[in-house]
Coordinates of all heavy atoms in Angstrom, one line a residue:
M1 N -38.6 39.1 21.5 CA -38.5 40.1 22.5 C -37.2 40.9 22.4 O -37.1 42.0 22.8 CB -38.7 39.6 23.8 CG -40.1 39.1 24.1 SD -41.4 40.4 24.2 CE -41.1 41.0 25.7
W2 N -36.1 40.2 22.0 CA -34.8 40.9 21.9 C -34.9 42.1 21.0 O -34.2 43.1 21.2 CB -33.7 39.9 21.5 CG -33.9 39.4 20.1 CD1 -34.5 38.2 19.8 CD2 -33.5 40.0 18.9 NE1 -34.5 38.0 18.5 CE2 -33.9 39.1 17.9 CE3 -32.9 41.1 18.6 CZ2 -33.7 39.3 16.5 CZ3 -32.6 41.4 17.2 CH2 -33.0 40.5 16.2
S3 N -35.7 42.0 20.0 CA -35.8 43.2 19.1 C -36.5 44.3 19.8 O -36.1 45.5 19.6 CB -36.6 42.8 17.8 OG -37.9 42.4 18.1
Y4 N -37.4 44.1 20.7 CA -38.1 45.2 21.4 C -37.1 45.7 22.4 O -37.1 46.9 22.7 CB -39.3 44.7 22.1 CG -40.1 45.8 22.7 CD1 -40.8 46.7 21.9 CD2 -40.1 46.1 24.1 CE1 -41.6 47.7 22.4 CE2 -40.9 47.1 24.6 CZ -41.6 48.0 23.7 OH -42.3 49.0 24.2
D5 N -36.2 44.9 23.0 CA -35.2 45.4 23.9 C -34.2 46.3 23.2 O -33.8 47.3 23.7 CB -34.4 44.2 24.5 CG -35.2 43.4 25.5 OD1 -36.2 43.9 26.0 OD2 -34.9 42.2 25.7
L6 N -33.9 46.0 22.0 CA -33.0 46.9 21.2 C -33.8 48.2 20.9 O -33.2 49.3 20.9 CB -32.6 46.2 19.8 CG -31.7 45.0 19.9 CD1 -31.5 44.4 18.5 CD2 -30.4 45.4 20.5
F7 N -35.0 48.1 20.7 CA -35.9 49.3 20.5 C -35.9 50.2 21.7 O -35.8 51.4 21.6 CB -37.3 48.8 20.2 CG -38.2 49.7 19.5 CD1 -37.8 50.4 18.3 CD2 -39.5 50.0 19.9 CE1 -38.6 51.3 17.7 CE2 -40.3 50.8 19.3 CZ -39.9 51.5 18.2
R8 N -36.0 49.6 22.9 CA -36.0 50.3 24.2 C -34.6 51.0 24.4 O -34.5 52.1 24.9 CB -36.3 49.4 25.3 CG -37.7 49.0 25.4 CD -38.1 48.1 26.5 NE -37.2 47.9 27.6 CZ -37.1 46.9 28.4 NH1 -38.0 45.9 28.2 NH2 -36.3 46.8 29.3
I9 N -33.5 50.3 24.0 CA -32.2 50.9 24.2 C -32.1 52.1 23.3 O -31.5 53.1 23.7 CB -31.1 49.8 23.8 CG1 -31.1 48.7 24.9 CG2 -29.7 50.5 23.7 CD1 -30.2 47.5 24.5
F10 N -32.6 52.0 22.0 CA -32.6 53.1 21.1 C -33.3 54.3 21.7 O -32.9 55.5 21.6 CB -33.2 52.7 19.8 CG -33.4 53.9 18.8 CD1 -32.3 54.5 18.3 CD2 -34.6 54.4 18.6 CE1 -32.4 55.6 17.4 CE2 -34.8 55.4 17.7 CZ -33.7 56.0 17.1
R11 N -34.5 54.0 22.4 CA -35.3 55.1 23.0 C -34.5 55.8 24.1 O -34.7 57.0 24.4 CB -36.5 54.5 23.6 CG -37.6 54.3 22.5 CD -38.9 54.0 23.2 NE -39.8 53.6 22.2 CZ -40.8 52.8 22.5 NH1 -41.0 52.2 23.6 NH2 -41.7 52.5 21.5
K12 N -33.7 55.0 24.8 CA -32.9 55.7 25.9 C -31.8 56.5 25.4 O -31.4 57.5 26.0 CB -32.4 54.6 26.9 CG -33.5 54.0 27.7 CD -32.9 53.1 28.7 CE -34.1 52.4 29.4 NZ -34.1 52.4 30.8
M13 N -31.3 56.2 24.2 CA -30.2 56.9 23.6 C -30.8 58.2 22.9 O -30.1 59.2 23.0 CB -29.5 56.1 22.6 CG -28.7 55.0 23.2 SD -27.9 53.8 22.0 CE -27.8 54.6 20.5
V14 N -31.9 58.1 22.3 CA -32.5 59.2 21.6 C -33.9 59.5 22.3 O -34.8 58.6 22.3 CB -32.8 58.9 20.1 CG1 -33.4 60.1 19.5 CG2 -31.5 58.6 19.5
K15 N -34.0 60.7 22.9 CA -35.3 61.0 23.7 C -36.4 61.1 22.7 O -36.3 61.6 21.6 CB -35.1 62.3 24.4 CG -34.1 62.2 25.5 CD -34.5 61.3 26.6 CE -33.4 61.3 27.7 NZ -33.7 60.2 28.7
H16 N -37.6 60.5 23.2 CA -38.8 60.5 22.4 C -39.9 61.1 23.2 O -40.0 61.0 24.4 CB -39.2 59.1 22.0 CG -38.4 58.4 21.0 ND1 -37.1 58.0 21.3 CD2 -38.6 58.1 19.7 CE1 -36.6 57.4 20.2 NE2 -37.5 57.5 19.3
H17 N -40.8 61.8 22.5 CA -42.0 62.3 23.2 C -43.0 61.2 23.5 O -42.9 60.1 22.8 CB -42.7 63.3 22.2 CG -43.8 64.1 22.8 ND1 -45.1 63.7 22.8 CD2 -43.8 65.3 23.5 CE1 -45.8 64.6 23.5 NE2 -45.0 65.6 23.9
T18 N -43.9 61.3 24.4 CA -44.8 60.3 24.8 C -45.6 59.8 23.7 O -45.9 58.6 23.5 CB -45.7 60.8 26.0 OG1 -44.8 61.3 27.0 CG2 -46.5 59.7 26.5
I19 N -46.1 60.7 22.9 CA -47.0 60.3 21.7 C -46.2 59.5 20.7 O -46.6 58.5 20.2 CB -47.6 61.6 21.1 CG1 -48.5 62.2 22.0 CG2 -48.3 61.2 19.8 CD1 -49.1 63.6 21.6
A20 N -44.9 59.9 20.5 CA -44.1 59.2 19.6 C -43.8 57.8 20.1 O -43.8 56.8 19.3 CB -42.7 59.9 19.4
V21 N -43.6 57.6 21.4 CA -43.4 56.3 22.0 C -44.6 55.4 21.7 O -44.5 54.2 21.4 CB -43.0 56.4 23.5 CG1 -43.1 55.0 24.1 CG2 -41.7 57.0 23.6
S22 N -45.8 56.0 22.0 CA -47.0 55.2 21.8 C -47.2 54.8 20.3 O -47.6 53.6 20.1 CB -48.2 56.1 22.2 OG -48.1 56.4 23.6
V23 N -47.0 55.7 19.4 CA -47.1 55.4 18.0 C -46.1 54.3 17.6 O -46.4 53.3 16.9 CB -47.0 56.6 17.1 CG1 -46.9 56.3 15.6 CG2 -48.1 57.6 17.4
E24 N -44.8 54.4 18.1 CA -43.8 53.4 17.7 C -44.2 52.1 18.3 O -44.0 51.1 17.6 CB -42.5 53.9 18.3 CG -41.9 55.1 17.6 CD -40.7 55.6 18.4 OE1 -40.4 55.2 19.5 OE2 -40.0 56.6 17.8
D25 N -44.7 52.0 19.5 CA -45.1 50.8 20.1 C -46.2 50.1 19.3 O -46.2 48.9 19.0 CB -45.6 51.0 21.5 CG -44.5 51.0 22.5 OD1 -43.3 50.7 22.2 OD2 -44.7 51.4 23.7
L26 N -47.2 50.9 18.9 CA -48.3 50.4 18.1 C -47.8 49.8 16.8 O -48.2 48.7 16.4 CB -49.3 51.5 17.9 CG -50.7 51.1 17.3 CD1 -51.4 50.2 18.2 CD2 -51.5 52.4 17.0
L27 N -47.0 50.6 16.1 CA -46.5 50.1 14.8 C -45.6 48.8 15.0 O -45.7 47.9 14.2 CB -45.6 51.2 14.2 CG -46.4 52.4 13.7 CD1 -45.5 53.5 13.2 CD2 -47.4 52.0 12.6
Y28 N -44.8 48.8 16.1 CA -44.0 47.6 16.4 C -44.9 46.4 16.6 O -44.6 45.3 16.0 CB -43.1 47.9 17.6 CG -42.3 46.6 18.0 CD1 -41.1 46.3 17.4 CD2 -42.8 45.8 19.0 CE1 -40.4 45.2 17.7 CE2 -42.1 44.6 19.3 CZ -40.9 44.4 18.7 OH -40.2 43.2 19.0
W29 N -45.9 46.5 17.4 CA -46.7 45.3 17.7 C -47.6 44.9 16.6 O -47.9 43.7 16.4 CB -47.5 45.6 19.0 CG -46.6 45.5 20.2 CD1 -46.3 46.6 21.0 CD2 -45.8 44.4 20.7 NE1 -45.3 46.2 22.0 CE2 -45.1 44.9 21.8 CE3 -45.7 43.1 20.3 CZ2 -44.2 44.0 22.5 CZ3 -44.8 42.3 21.0 CH2 -44.1 42.7 22.1
F30 N -48.0 45.8 15.7 CA -48.7 45.5 14.5 C -47.8 44.7 13.6 O -48.2 43.7 13.0 CB -49.3 46.7 13.8 CG -50.6 47.2 14.2 CD1 -50.8 48.5 14.4 CD2 -51.6 46.3 14.5 CE1 -52.1 49.0 14.8 CE2 -52.8 46.7 15.0 CZ -53.1 48.1 15.1
A31 N -46.6 45.1 13.5 CA -45.6 44.4 12.6 C -45.3 43.0 13.2 O -45.3 42.0 12.4 CB -44.3 45.2 12.5
V32 N -45.1 42.9 14.5 CA -44.8 41.6 15.1 C -46.0 40.7 14.9 O -45.9 39.5 14.5 CB -44.5 41.8 16.6 CG1 -44.5 40.4 17.3 CG2 -43.1 42.4 16.7
A33 N -47.2 41.2 15.1 CA -48.4 40.4 15.0 C -48.6 39.9 13.5 O -48.9 38.7 13.3 CB -49.7 41.2 15.4
F34 N -48.3 40.8 12.6 CA -48.4 40.4 11.2 C -47.4 39.3 10.8 O -47.7 38.3 10.1 CB -48.2 41.6 10.3 CG -48.3 41.4 8.8 CD1 -49.6 41.2 8.3 CD2 -47.2 41.3 8.0 CE1 -49.7 41.0 6.9 CE2 -47.3 41.1 6.7 CZ -48.5 40.9 6.1
I35 N -46.2 39.5 11.3 CA -45.1 38.5 11.0 C -45.4 37.1 11.6 O -45.3 36.1 11.0 CB -43.7 39.0 11.5 CG1 -43.3 40.2 10.6 CG2 -42.7 37.9 11.5 CD1 -42.1 40.9 11.2
I36 N -45.9 37.1 12.9 CA -46.2 35.9 13.6 C -47.4 35.2 12.9 O -47.4 34.0 12.7 CB -46.5 36.1 15.1 CG1 -45.2 36.5 15.8 CG2 -47.1 34.9 15.7 CD1 -45.3 36.9 17.2
F37 N -48.4 36.0 12.6 CA -49.6 35.4 11.9 C -49.2 34.8 10.6 O -49.6 33.7 10.2 CB -50.7 36.5 11.7 CG -51.9 35.9 11.0 CD1 -52.8 35.2 11.7 CD2 -52.1 36.2 9.6 CE1 -53.9 34.7 11.1 CE2 -53.2 35.7 9.0 CZ -54.1 35.0 9.7
G38 N -48.3 35.5 9.8 CA -47.9 35.0 8.5 C -47.1 33.7 8.7 O -47.2 32.7 7.9
M39 N -46.2 33.6 9.7 CA -45.4 32.4 9.9 C -46.3 31.2 10.3 O -46.1 30.1 9.8 CB -44.4 32.6 11.0 CG -43.2 33.4 10.5 SD -41.9 33.7 11.7 CE -42.2 32.8 13.1
I40 N -47.2 31.5 11.2 CA -48.1 30.4 11.6 C -49.0 29.9 10.4 O -49.2 28.7 10.2 CB -49.0 30.9 12.8 CG1 -48.2 31.0 14.1 CG2 -50.2 29.9 13.1 CD1 -48.9 31.6 15.2
F41 N -49.5 30.9 9.7 CA -50.4 30.6 8.5 C -49.6 29.7 7.5 O -50.1 28.7 7.0 CB -50.9 31.9 7.9 CG -52.0 31.7 6.9 CD1 -53.3 31.5 7.4 CD2 -51.7 31.7 5.6 CE1 -54.3 31.3 6.5 CE2 -52.8 31.5 4.7 CZ -54.1 31.3 5.1
E42 N -48.3 30.1 7.2 CA -47.5 29.4 6.3 C -47.1 28.0 6.7 O -47.3 27.0 6.0 CB -46.3 30.2 6.0 CG -45.3 29.5 5.0 CD -44.0 30.3 4.8 OE1 -44.0 31.5 4.9 OE2 -43.0 29.6 4.5
K43 N -46.7 27.9 8.0 CA -46.2 26.6 8.5 C -47.3 25.6 8.7 O -47.1 24.4 8.7 CB -45.4 26.8 9.8 CG -44.2 27.7 9.6 CD -43.2 27.1 8.7 CE -42.0 28.0 8.5 NZ -41.1 27.7 7.5
N44 N -48.5 26.1 9.0 CA -49.7 25.1 9.3 C -50.6 25.0 8.1 O -51.8 24.6 8.3 CB -50.4 25.6 10.5 CG -49.6 25.5 11.8 OD1 -48.7 24.7 11.9 ND2 -49.9 26.3 12.8
N45 N -50.2 25.3 7.0 CA -51.0 25.2 5.7 C -52.3 25.9 5.9 O -53.4 25.4 5.5 CB -51.2 23.7 5.4 CG -49.9 23.0 5.0 OD1 -49.0 23.6 4.4 ND2 -49.8 21.8 5.5
G46 N -52.3 27.1 6.4 CA -53.5 27.9 6.5 C -54.3 27.7 7.7 O -55.3 28.4 7.9
A47 N -54.0 26.7 8.5 CA -54.8 26.5 9.7 C -54.2 27.2 10.9 O -53.0 27.0 11.2 CB -54.9 25.0 10.0
I48 N -55.0 27.9 11.6 CA -54.5 28.6 12.8 C -54.8 27.7 14.0 O -56.0 27.5 14.3 CB -55.1 30.0 13.0 CG1 -54.9 30.9 11.7 CG2 -54.6 30.7 14.2 CD1 -53.5 31.1 11.4
R49 N -53.8 27.1 14.6 CA -54.1 26.1 15.7 C -53.7 26.8 17.0 O -52.8 27.5 17.2 CB -53.3 24.9 15.4 CG -53.7 24.2 14.2 CD -53.0 22.9 14.0 NE -53.5 22.2 12.8 CZ -52.9 22.1 11.7 NH1 -51.7 22.5 11.6 NH2 -53.4 21.4 10.7
G50 N -54.4 26.3 18.1 CA -54.2 26.9 19.4 C -52.9 26.6 20.0 O -52.3 27.4 20.7
Y51 N -52.3 25.4 19.7 CA -51.0 25.1 20.3 C -49.9 26.0 19.9 O -49.0 26.2 20.6 CB -50.6 23.6 20.1 CG -50.4 23.3 18.6 CD1 -49.1 23.5 18.1 CD2 -51.3 22.7 17.8 CE1 -48.8 23.2 16.8 CE2 -51.1 22.4 16.5 CZ -49.8 22.6 16.0 OH -49.6 22.3 14.7
A52 N -50.1 26.6 18.7 CA -49.1 27.6 18.3 C -49.1 28.8 19.2 O -48.0 29.3 19.5 CB -49.3 27.9 16.8
F53 N -50.3 29.3 19.5 CA -50.4 30.4 20.4 C -49.9 30.1 21.8 O -49.3 30.9 22.5 CB -51.8 31.0 20.3 CG -52.2 31.6 19.0 CD1 -53.0 30.9 18.1 CD2 -51.6 32.8 18.7 CE1 -53.3 31.5 16.9 CE2 -52.0 33.4 17.5 CZ -52.8 32.7 16.6
V54 N -50.2 28.9 22.2 CA -49.8 28.5 23.6 C -48.2 28.4 23.6 O -47.6 28.9 24.5 CB -50.3 27.1 24.0 CG1 -49.7 26.5 25.2 CG2 -51.9 27.2 24.1
G55 N -47.6 27.9 22.5 CA -46.2 27.9 22.4 C -45.6 29.3 22.4 O -44.6 29.6 23.0
I56 N -46.2 30.3 21.7 CA -45.8 31.6 21.7 C -45.8 32.2 23.1 O -44.9 32.9 23.6 CB -46.6 32.5 20.7 CG1 -46.3 32.1 19.3 CG2 -46.3 34.0 20.9 CD1 -47.2 32.7 18.3
L57 N -47.0 32.0 23.8 CA -47.1 32.5 25.2 C -46.1 31.9 26.1 O -45.5 32.6 26.9 CB -48.5 32.3 25.7 CG -49.6 33.1 25.0 CD1 -51.0 32.6 25.5 CD2 -49.4 34.5 25.2
I58 N -45.8 30.6 26.0 CA -44.8 30.0 26.9 C -43.4 30.6 26.6 O -42.6 30.8 27.5 CB -44.8 28.5 26.7 CG1 -46.1 27.9 27.3 CG2 -43.6 27.8 27.3 CD1 -46.4 26.4 27.0
G59 N -43.1 30.8 25.3 CA -41.9 31.4 24.9 C -41.7 32.8 25.4 O -40.6 33.1 25.9
V60 N -42.7 33.6 25.3 CA -42.6 34.9 25.9 C -42.4 34.9 27.4 O -41.6 35.7 27.9 CB -43.9 35.7 25.4 CG1 -44.0 37.1 26.2 CG2 -43.9 36.0 24.0
W61 N -43.2 34.1 28.0 CA -43.1 34.0 29.5 C -41.6 33.5 29.9 O -41.0 34.1 30.8 CB -44.1 33.0 30.1 CG -43.9 32.8 31.5 CD1 -44.3 33.6 32.5 CD2 -43.1 31.7 32.1 NE1 -43.9 33.1 33.7 CE2 -43.2 31.9 33.5 CE3 -42.4 30.6 31.7 CZ2 -42.6 31.1 34.4 CZ3 -41.8 29.7 32.5 CH2 -41.9 30.0 33.9
A62 N -41.1 32.5 29.2 CA -39.8 32.0 29.5 C -38.7 33.1 29.2 O -37.8 33.3 30.0 CB -39.4 30.8 28.7
E63 N -38.9 33.9 28.2 CA -37.9 34.9 27.9 C -37.9 36.0 28.9 O -36.9 36.5 29.4 CB -38.2 35.5 26.5 CG -37.1 36.4 25.9 CD -37.2 37.8 26.3 OE1 -38.2 38.3 26.7 OE2 -36.1 38.5 26.2
C64 N -39.1 36.4 29.4 CA -39.2 37.4 30.4 C -38.7 36.9 31.7 O -38.0 37.7 32.4 CB -40.7 37.8 30.6 SG -41.4 38.8 29.2
F65 N -38.9 35.7 32.1 CA -38.4 35.1 33.3 C -36.9 35.0 33.3 O -36.2 35.5 34.2 CB -39.0 33.7 33.5 CG -38.5 33.0 34.7 CD1 -38.9 33.3 36.0 CD2 -37.6 31.9 34.6 CE1 -38.5 32.7 37.1 CE2 -37.2 31.2 35.7 CZ -37.6 31.6 36.9
L66 N -36.3 34.5 32.2 CA -34.9 34.4 32.1 C -34.2 35.8 32.0 O -33.2 36.0 32.6 CB -34.5 33.6 30.9 CG -34.9 32.1 30.9 CD1 -34.6 31.4 29.6 CD2 -34.1 31.4 32.1
E67 N -34.9 36.7 31.4 CA -34.3 38.1 31.3 C -34.2 38.7 32.7 O -33.2 39.3 33.0 CB -35.2 39.0 30.4 CG -34.7 40.4 30.3 CD -35.6 41.3 29.5 OE1 -36.7 40.8 29.1 OE2 -35.2 42.4 29.3
S68 N -35.2 38.5 33.5 CA -35.2 39.0 34.9 C -34.1 38.4 35.7 O -33.4 39.1 36.4 CB -36.5 38.9 35.6 OG -36.8 37.5 35.8
I69 N -33.9 37.1 35.5 CA -32.8 36.4 36.2 C -31.4 37.0 35.8 O -30.6 37.3 36.6 CB -32.9 34.9 36.0 CG1 -34.1 34.3 36.8 CG2 -31.6 34.2 36.5 CD1 -34.3 32.9 36.5
F70 N -31.2 37.0 34.4 CA -30.0 37.5 33.9 C -29.7 39.0 34.3 O -28.6 39.4 34.5 CB -29.9 37.3 32.4 CG -29.7 35.9 32.0 CD1 -30.5 35.3 31.1 CD2 -28.7 35.1 32.6 CE1 -30.3 34.0 30.7 CE2 -28.5 33.8 32.2 CZ -29.3 33.2 31.3
R71 N -30.8 39.8 34.3 CA -30.6 41.2 34.7 C -30.1 41.3 36.1 O -29.2 42.1 36.4 CB -31.9 41.9 34.5 CG -31.8 43.4 34.9 CD -33.1 44.2 34.8 NE -33.6 44.1 33.4 CZ -34.9 43.9 33.1 NH1 -35.7 43.6 34.1 NH2 -35.3 43.9 31.9
K72 N -30.7 40.5 37.0 CA -30.3 40.5 38.4 C -28.8 40.1 38.6 O -28.0 40.7 39.3 CB -31.2 39.6 39.3 CG -32.5 40.2 39.5 CD -33.4 39.2 40.2 CE -34.9 39.7 40.2 NZ -35.8 38.7 40.8
L73 N -28.4 39.0 37.8 CA -27.0 38.5 37.9 C -26.1 39.6 37.3 O -25.0 39.8 37.8 CB -26.9 37.2 37.1 CG -27.6 36.0 37.7 CD1 -27.5 34.8 36.8 CD2 -26.9 35.7 39.1
W74 N -26.5 40.2 36.2 CA -25.7 41.3 35.6 C -25.5 42.4 36.5 O -24.3 43.0 36.7 CB -26.3 41.7 34.3 CG -25.6 42.7 33.5 CD1 -25.9 44.0 33.3 CD2 -24.3 42.5 32.8 NE1 -24.9 44.6 32.5 CE2 -24.0 43.7 32.2 CE3 -23.5 41.4 32.7 CZ2 -22.8 43.8 31.5 CZ3 -22.3 41.5 32.0 CH2 -22.0 42.7 31.3
I75 N -26.5 42.9 37.2 CA -26.4 44.0 38.2 C -25.5 43.6 39.3 O -24.6 44.4 39.7 CB -27.8 44.4 38.7 CG1 -28.6 45.1 37.6 CG2 -27.7 45.3 39.9 CD1 -30.0 45.3 37.9
K76 N -25.6 42.4 39.9 CA -24.7 41.9 40.9 C -23.2 41.9 40.4 O -22.3 42.4 41.2 CB -25.1 40.5 41.4 CG -26.3 40.5 42.3 CD -26.5 39.1 42.7 CE -27.8 39.0 43.5 NZ -28.1 37.6 44.0
L77 N -23.0 41.4 39.2 CA -21.7 41.4 38.7 C -21.1 42.8 38.5 O -20.0 43.1 38.9 CB -21.7 40.7 37.3 CG -20.3 40.7 36.6 CD1 -19.3 39.8 37.3 CD2 -20.5 40.2 35.2
L78 N -21.9 43.7 38.0 CA -21.4 45.1 37.8 C -21.1 45.8 39.2 O -20.2 46.6 39.3 CB -22.5 45.9 37.1 CG -22.6 45.6 35.6 CD1 -23.7 46.4 35.0 CD2 -21.3 45.8 34.8
K79 N -21.9 45.5 40.2 CA -21.7 46.0 41.5 C -20.4 45.5 42.1 O -19.6 46.3 42.7 CB -22.8 45.7 42.5 CG -24.1 46.6 42.2 CD -25.2 46.2 43.2 CE -26.4 47.1 42.9 NZ -27.5 46.8 43.9
K80 N -20.1 44.2 41.9 CA -18.8 43.7 42.4 C -17.6 44.3 41.6 O -16.6 44.6 42.3 CB -18.8 42.1 42.2 CG -19.7 41.4 43.2 CD -19.5 39.9 43.0 CE -20.4 39.2 44.0 NZ -20.4 37.7 43.8
V81 N -17.8 44.4 40.3 CA -16.7 45.0 39.6 C -16.5 46.5 40.0 O -15.3 46.9 40.2 CB -17.0 45.0 38.1 CG1 -16.0 45.8 37.2 CG2 -16.9 43.5 37.6
G82 N -17.6 47.2 40.3 CA -17.5 48.6 40.7 C -16.8 48.7 42.1 O -15.9 49.5 42.3
K83 N -17.1 47.8 43.0 CA -16.5 47.8 44.3 C -15.0 47.5 44.2 O -14.2 48.1 44.9 CB -17.2 46.7 45.2 CG -18.5 47.2 45.7 CD -19.1 46.1 46.6 CE -20.5 46.5 47.1 NZ -21.1 45.4 47.9
R84 N -14.6 46.5 43.4 CA -13.2 46.1 43.2 C -12.4 47.3 42.6 O -11.3 47.5 43.0 CB -13.1 44.9 42.4 CG -13.5 43.6 43.2 CD -13.2 42.4 42.4 NE -13.6 41.3 43.2 CZ -13.6 40.0 42.8 NH1 -13.2 39.7 41.6 NH2 -14.0 39.1 43.6
S85 N -13.0 47.9 41.6 CA -12.3 49.1 41.0 C -12.1 50.2 42.0 O -11.1 50.9 42.0 CB -13.0 49.5 39.7 OG -14.2 50.1 40.1
K86 N -13.1 50.4 42.9 CA -13.0 51.4 43.9 C -11.9 51.1 44.9 O -11.1 51.9 45.4 CB -14.3 51.7 44.6 CG -15.3 52.4 43.8 CD -16.6 52.6 44.6 CE -17.7 53.2 43.7 NZ -18.9 53.3 44.4
M87 N -11.8 49.8 45.2 CA -10.8 49.3 46.2 C -9.4 49.5 45.6 O -8.5 49.9 46.3 CB -11.0 47.8 46.5 CG -12.3 47.6 47.4 SD -12.8 45.9 47.7 CE -11.3 45.0 47.9
K88 N -9.3 49.2 44.3 CA -8.0 49.3 43.6 C -7.6 50.8 43.6 O -6.4 51.1 43.7 CB -8.0 48.7 42.3 CG -8.0 47.2 42.3 CD -7.9 46.6 40.9 CE -8.0 45.1 40.9 NZ -8.0 44.5 39.6
Q89 N -8.5 51.7 43.3 CA -8.2 53.1 43.2 C -7.8 53.6 44.6 O -6.9 54.5 44.7 CB -9.4 53.9 42.7 CG -9.7 53.7 41.3 CD -11.0 54.3 40.8 OE1 -11.7 54.9 41.7 NE2 -11.3 54.2 39.6
G90 N -8.4 53.1 45.7 CA -8.1 53.5 47.0 C -6.7 53.1 47.5 O -6.1 53.7 48.3
K91 N -6.1 52.0 46.9 CA -4.8 51.5 47.3 C -3.7 52.3 46.7 O -2.6 52.2 47.1 CB -4.7 50.0 46.9 CG -5.6 49.1 47.7 CD -5.4 47.7 47.3 CE -6.2 46.7 48.1 NZ -6.0 45.3 47.8
R92 N -4.0 53.1 45.7 CA -2.9 53.8 45.0 C -2.3 54.9 45.8 O -2.4 55.5 46.6 CB -3.5 54.5 43.7 CG -3.7 53.5 42.7 CD -4.2 54.2 41.4 NE -4.5 53.2 40.4 CZ -5.0 53.5 39.2 NH1 -5.2 54.7 38.9 NH2 -5.3 52.5 38.4

């Protein structure tokens, strides 16, 4: 998921049309699906087992959960830093 986050940051830096975003998303997820399928196929000697997909789903859920926690903490930290910098500027 971190690779998709980098992709989203790139989109914010360079404006994209709605159709371009849809096509980029589709290509990204096809590539990810192909890579994951290839890894599972190689590591399990050609057998696609359910526990691998359960592990992927748990990993994605954990990453999203932890990302939301870290995002909230990061926002709080930035707000505190912003308040302190305003306080220091006011003392001058």
